[in-house]
Amino acid sequence: MMKHMFEKSLKENLRTVLCDLFNAKINLEEIEFEIPTDPSHGDLCTNIAFRIAGKVKKSPVEVAEKIAERISEDSFEVKSLNGFVNFRFTDKFLFNLSKDTLAFERERLGKRVVVDYSAPNIAKPFGIGHLRSTIIGQAIYNLYQFEGWETVGVNHLGDWGTQYGKLIFQIKRKNKNIKDLSIGDLENLYVEFHKEAKDDPGLEEGARIWFKKLEDGDGEAVSIWESCVKKSIKQFEETYSLLDVEIDYCMGESFYQDKMKMVLEEAKGKEIAKESKGALIVDFGNEMPPAMLLKSDGSTTYFTRDLATVRYRIDRWNPDLFIYEIGADQKLHMRQLFKTVEMLGWKKSEEFFHVAHGMYRLKEGKMSTRKGRTIHLEYVLNEAMRRAEEIMMQSETVKDMTEKQKKEAIKKIAVGAVKYADLKNHYSRDIVFDWEKVMNLRGDSGPYLQYSLLRARSVLNKCKQEPISEESTIKLNSEERAVLKKLIEFDGVIESAVRNFTPSSLAGFAFELAKDFNAFYSSHPILKAPSEIKNQRIFITEATHKVLNKSLDLLGIPIPERM
Ligand code: ARG
């Protein structure tokens, strides 16, 4: 939807007209605009006649006709059709509206958001679920920042918990030396532990003891753990650099070791934490199952650490909003967390939002490290890279590129393809990787967007845009109108992407813009256009370039220099 000053004045205008004509009193919020799917129905329409017909005891058709007769504006034509009031912008007006869109500056809102995203677990390869969190989380972060929020990004690294007890125990049992183990080996040991523990439940006890040792600061446990953390962080950093992602703070779960006690005391003091069978829990009555704060052996949980994390973030940043980009399988955990925060009186649960992403799916079903059937990020990126190379090899431009330039371009195409394949879906949807679609140069894909952008850029590189004066006449054909109409949706799209935590809205918009631009590009000359319309076409190209560039930038999709 659009979001322009003129919308407000049009609403006021409509309100006055409705009052004059029918003595109907309405609020501005009751007037809603929509963009008709069929462009012959105009550029904007409203169903207000349906809304007030009953009140004023007339048919919607009659109401709409009266409105259309009454409103007259230089900037658009008004018509009624089957009870709808349709507005069609004049070419000049549409042109000027699109110019307004290009001013990207937003006022600073004085509001702060903490975005919790990525958060892979150490001693495991960077998984594809964390890839989703990283990609979507970064896009949400960028969108909020662009819209005027102060943003704090935090990587809540999974570097603490019973699973490290299992791992250390397994390393000890198998007489391994941590120095010789790769991340892959560590993952295998973990998977192996679960297989063996099925037949020998006693192993769980050993794992528990080792986690307890770790929490109590036992020298050997801590040293093995530290070594795992180091190895993992080194790998994660490579991944982030490849994905071109930078997260403001990396504060893993272990960071909160000494911050849980205070929170536990407070929860006990406020009688929110209760003893149950030797453990400490938060009871939510019938609303949902209880959350565990302390296990019966006194060790802390993921939940306790998240609670301490909220406290820490409030004390440090006092954010107006907390966003968690985490898989949908943690919905209950998040609800329990938000509710507990509210029970403690720290914040209202409305100030929290869980962007609960769906799964990447394999044919066999949900991925799980325990069963050892993970898709690794490495596989996805390597396959994308291989296919990006194929695309490059078919391209003309590759001939005069150096090896280094080629490599850079391949990397950007691959990363762009993977990111877009994710972002184009609403976060809650599951993703099934279909390589043909992910890399399709003609379809709804990252490479298609990159290619469209570069096409606009190459036109611009060949010319200089001359300013279009206020007096010059603007006459638009339908392809030009389509591009400009798309462009003016940009602000509204951003607003809705921010409000709904949906980078997918922006991804969809970028694709449609690219499509409209390509339709314009392939049916009309730009540089060879007659001189009186050449400037206007260059303007359309430049505006598309600017908005598409900004959209891809916000989505975190890199642009190769050539492809
Ligand atoms: N490391 C966790 C996992 O892989 C995700 C952490 C998300 N953030 C949080 N504050 N709980 O499941």
Side-chain angles (χ1 to χ4, degrees), residues 242 377-394 406-407 409-415 417-418 435-436 438-439 447:
L242 179 68
L377 175 78
E378 209 181 328
Y379 154 75
V380 174
L381 287 176
N382 284 344
E383 183 61 18
M385 221 76 104
R386 196 181 66 70
R387 288 170 183 262
E389 191 167 358
E390 273 173 25
I391 292 183
M392 279 307 279
M393 287 313 166
Q394 288 158 20
K406 261 189 257 172
K407 266 220 180 91
I410 288 170
K411 201 179 94 180
K412 287 184 172 166
I413 295 169
V415 169
V418 170
W435 284 109
E436 298 306 318
V438 171
M439 303 303 290

Side-chain angles (χ1 to χ4, degrees), residues 116-121 124 130 133 156-159 163 253 302 306 309 313 324-327 329-330 333-334 337:
D116 181 314
Y117 64 109
S118 195
N121 298 321
K124 285 182 195 170
H130 297 108
S133 175
H156 190 74
L157 210 61
D159 61 0
Q163 64 269 43
E253 291 182 42
Y302 179 55
D306 252 330
T309 307
R313 290 175 184 169
Y324 291 81
E325 208 310 340
I326 315 177
D329 51 347
Q330 293 191 29
H333 170 80
M334 286 289 120
L337 180 66

Side-chain angles (χ1 to χ4, degrees), residues 89-146:
F89 306 141
T90 64
D91 288 351
K92 183 82 175 193
F93 184 63
L94 178 57
F95 193 81
N96 287 337
L97 275 183
S98 69
K99 269 194 197 159
D100 297 345
T101 299
L102 301 180
F104 290 150
E105 286 74 36
R106 303 288 200 267
E107 58 180 287
R108 298 282 104 199
L109 299 172
K111 288 202 274 186
R112 193 178 286 149
V113 58
V114 171
V115 189
D116 181 314
Y117 64 109
S118 195
N121 298 321
I122 62 159
K124 285 182 195 170
F126 199 112
I128 206 94
H130 297 108
L131 176 66
R132 285 211 82 179
S133 175
T134 309
I135 294 174
I136 300 171
Q138 185 68 55
I140 290 177
Y141 176 98
N142 296 345
L143 280 160
Y144 269 79
Q145 191 170 62
F146 180 68

